[in-house]
Amino acid sequence: MKNILYEGYLGPRIPREVAMKRIQRVIWEEMTDVQREVLLAYYFQEKKIPQIAQERGVNRTSVARALHRAEEKLRRYLKY
């Protein structure tokens, strides 16, 4: 029988401050310039993919791919 409170639990939780430092390190040290710019524009400036693509002068697919790779890199580095 599943415990409802722990559904999706992936292990011990780390303090928010530690998680934020890890996120910042990954964004500034591990991502390419394009990945960083797209990730920050999408999540922090709340721009849509077509808008980012138009501003950068590239195809929407390129922006979506860069965003996906940035998110995967974050997930991979935050796993440990």
Side-chain angles (χ1 to χ4, degrees):
M1 177 178 222
K2 270 189 178 178
N3 185 340
I4 303 295
L5 297 176
Y6 289 96
E7 187 174 341
Y9 180 70
L10 299 175
R13 300 281 186 221
I14 59 173
R16 181 175 169 79
E17 298 79 27
V18 174
M20 292 306 294
K21 285 182 182 180
R22 287 184 184 177
I23 290 169
Q24 288 175 350
R25 191 188 70 72
V26 172
I27 289 173
W28 294 106
E29 296 178 14
E30 303 296 335
M31 290 186 185
T32 65
D33 291 338
V34 173
Q35 289 172 345
R36 181 181 319 109
E37 289 170 12
V38 169
L39 184 86
L40 294 175
Y42 187 78
Y43 284 104
F44 295 100
Q45 298 171 2
E46 298 180 356
K47 294 181 180 179
K48 302 290 184 200
I49 290 175
Q51 182 182 1
I52 298 168
Q54 184 179 17
E55 290 173 359
R56 296 185 60 80
V58 297
N59 194 311
R60 290 181 300 184
T61 307
S62 300
V63 173
R65 191 177 312 121
L67 180 61
H68 177 72
R69 288 179 179 159
E71 292 168 340
E72 285 298 315
K73 195 170 281 191
L74 265 176
R75 281 188 201 98
R76 188 171 53 248
Y77 279 90
L78 292 177
K79 213 174 180 180
Y80 301 103

